[in-house]
């Protein structure tokens, strides 16, 4: 890689992670190497790009002005690398994916395994986050594409629908309605409720609101396993996407709702036409896997 591009990448990753250490881990350099490369840029241009402090790093006013230009250079370099990959075949490349935990746990491993069998030299960078973070990563060019809940919050993304994931009620084994056929919507307001949510209002919170249900929310977390553990301990009930339940081994009762509820999952892109050859091929594996379910 050209030395200037290395310096630009060091700068971009340091800003993205707000840390020399994390940037060094991602780029496989030493922390001092990352710091030195950014220092070289500052000396070369005779400006200060970053403010260093005990709480991390942040852009100076000059850094703010130059950041989008440096980022564009790095993105164009990645496009160049993609064209080289296409000419040489898929002998190398990097696929960057933004995703939430259930897709990362129950969909991606099988797809990556099949893809690696055919293209063993492709590398992966998988970022886990909530829907808001994933959309931001896509728009910022931090990932090549991401899995999100539909509809997207941003209107500037290109969307491809993947699947509907049913939402299910989970109950302690000794719950009075453990033997019911389907769980009544109105009874969701009778017990302590464990809400799966982080940041923006979740699918579950929105659907409950739309149906006029006001649960007694005693616990909120983005960790679905913590939710299931709480329910197993008899601390309340919850609603969990079916995808999360695929390999759950908790002693809980799972029920359909009288009125079925779903979350819709899709893939989102900033510009689908400009994905690299490696990403384009990987997407075909996702689509094939999705059709075979």
């Amino acid at each position: 890689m050209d030395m200037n591009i290395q310096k630009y990448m060091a700068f971009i990753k340091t800003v993205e992670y707000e840390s020399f250490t994390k940037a060094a881990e991602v780029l496989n350099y030493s922390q001092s190497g990352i710091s030195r490369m950014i220092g070289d840029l500052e000396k070369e241009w005779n400006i200060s790009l970053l403010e260093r402090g005990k709480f991390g790093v942040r852009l100076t006013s000059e850094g703010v002005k130059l950041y989008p230009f440096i980022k564009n250079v790095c993105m164009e370099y990645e496009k160049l690398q993609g064209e080289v990959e296409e000419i040489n075949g898929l002998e190398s490349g990097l696929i960057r994916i933004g995703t939430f935990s259930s897709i990362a746990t129950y969909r991606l491993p099988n797809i990556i395994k099949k893809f690696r069998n055919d293209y063993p030299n492709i590398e992966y960078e998988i970022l886990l986050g909530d829907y808001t973070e994933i959309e931001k990563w896509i728009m910022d060019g931090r990932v090549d594409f991401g899995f999100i809940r539909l509809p997207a919050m941003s209107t500037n993304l290109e969307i491809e629908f993947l699947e509907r994931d049913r939402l299910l009620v989970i109950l302690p084994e000794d719950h009075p309605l453990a033997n019911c056929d389907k769980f009544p919507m109105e009874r969701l307001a009778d017990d302590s409720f464990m809400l799966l949510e982080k940041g923006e209002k979740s699918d579950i919170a929105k659907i409950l609101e739309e149906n006029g249900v006001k649960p007694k929310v005693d616990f909120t977390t983005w960790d679905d396993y913590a939710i299931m553990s709480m329910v197993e301990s008899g601390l309340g009930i919850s609603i969990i996407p079916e995808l999360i339940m695929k390999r759950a081994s908790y002693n809980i009762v799972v029920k359909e709702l009288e009125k079925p509820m779903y979350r819709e999952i899709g893939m989102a892109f900033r510009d689908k036409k400009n994905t690299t050859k490696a990403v384009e091929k990987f997407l075909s594996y996702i689509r094939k896997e999705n059709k075979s379910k």
Side-chain angles (χ1 to χ4, degrees):
M1 189 188 295
D2 179 88
M3 192 59 205
N4 277 334
I5 291 293
Q6 287 180 326
K7 293 175 184 177
Y8 299 159
M9 291 293 289
F11 171 67
I12 292 298
K13 294 299 180 186
T14 299
V15 173
E16 286 177 351
Y17 288 103
E18 299 180 344
S19 165
F20 289 111
T21 303
K22 290 181 181 177
E25 290 173 3
V26 171
L27 295 174
N28 200 26
Y29 288 108
S30 65
Q31 181 180 337
S32 60
I34 294 290
S35 182
R36 185 171 58 252
M37 283 191 280
I38 296 173
D40 287 346
L41 281 179
E42 292 177 319
K43 288 177 185 175
E44 204 176 304
W45 294 340
N46 195 31
I47 57 174
S48 174
L49 293 169
L50 296 173
E51 292 180 3
R52 288 105 167 141
K54 62 180 180 179
F55 298 112
V57 296
R58 63 179 183 178
L59 289 166
T60 62
S61 57
E62 292 90 350
V64 170
K65 289 180 183 178
L66 293 179
Y67 178 80
F69 295 99
I70 299 172
K71 189 172 182 67
N72 283 337
V73 170
C74 292
M75 290 175 66
E76 290 302 316
Y77 177 79
E78 288 174 357
K79 289 180 185 177
L80 170 62
Q81 290 297 98
E83 291 301 315
V84 173
E85 290 167 20
E86 187 167 358
I87 293 168
N88 292 325
L90 295 183
E91 295 301 321
S92 64
L94 173 65
I95 298 172
R96 304 169 305 162
I97 305 167
T99 185
F100 45 94
S101 62
S102 53
I103 289 288
T105 305
Y106 305 112
R107 289 282 185 262
L108 283 179
N110 192 45
I111 296 167
I112 291 174
K113 182 180 180 180
K114 291 179 180 178
F115 196 75
R116 286 190 70 179
N117 286 337
D118 296 334
Y119 306 103
N121 297 320
I122 300 295
E123 296 180 359
Y124 306 86
E125 184 180 357
I126 298 175
L127 272 63
L128 285 174
D130 61 32
Y131 306 126
T132 306
E133 290 170 326
I134 295 166
E135 289 197 22
K136 185 177 187 303
W137 292 334
I138 298 167
M139 292 304 301
D140 290 347
R142 179 68 185 83
V143 295
D144 298 305
F145 71 99
F147 294 91
I148 64 166
R149 174 190 66 196
L150 303 180
M153 288 171 280
S154 171
T155 58
N156 296 319
L157 293 172
E158 295 182 33
I159 304 298
E160 182 175 334
F161 172 79
L162 273 183
E163 63 179 293
R164 296 179 84 198
D165 188 16
R166 188 169 52 162
L167 300 175
L168 301 170
V169 181
I170 57 174
L171 315 166
E173 290 184 319
D174 61 354
H175 192 277
L177 294 179
N179 295 316
C180 73
D181 182 25
K182 294 186 178 181
F183 199 87
M185 286 289 290
E186 65 273 9
R187 291 297 300 270
L188 291 170
D190 292 348
D191 296 86
S192 293
F193 196 88
M194 312 289 148
L195 182 62
L196 188 65
E197 182 176 79
K198 176 185 174 184
E200 294 291 325
K201 188 175 288 186
S202 70
D203 320 80
I204 295 161
K206 285 183 177 178
I207 291 170
L208 291 175
E209 189 176 285
E210 289 167 4
N211 285 275
V213 177
K214 295 182 179 180
K216 305 169 187 174
V217 178
D218 288 339
F219 186 83
T220 303
T221 181
W222 190 240
D223 187 335
D224 34 60
Y225 296 107
I227 292 277
M228 287 186 275
S229 180
M230 293 277 185
V231 172
E232 182 182 50
S233 297
L235 298 176
I237 67 173
S238 189
I239 295 177
I240 293 283
E242 186 172 15
L243 189 55
I244 294 170
M245 303 298 301
K246 294 291 184 182
R247 296 180 194 168
S249 57
Y250 293 88
N251 296 315
I252 54 179
V253 175
V254 181
K255 293 291 178 183
E256 294 181 47
L257 281 157
E258 279 185 344
K259 181 179 179 182
M261 301 196 306
Y262 301 87
R263 68 170 174 175
E264 294 195 334
I265 298 171
M267 294 188 295
F269 312 81
R270 189 170 70 169
D271 185 358
K272 194 189 295 188
K273 291 181 181 177
N274 283 322
T275 55
T276 66
K277 187 70 174 179
V279 171
E280 184 181 325
K281 192 66 179 176
F282 187 77
L283 292 171
S284 72
Y285 277 60
I286 294 174
R287 294 171 187 128
K288 184 178 179 181
E289 180 79 8
N290 198 50
K291 283 182 181 178
S292 67
K293 293 200 309 290

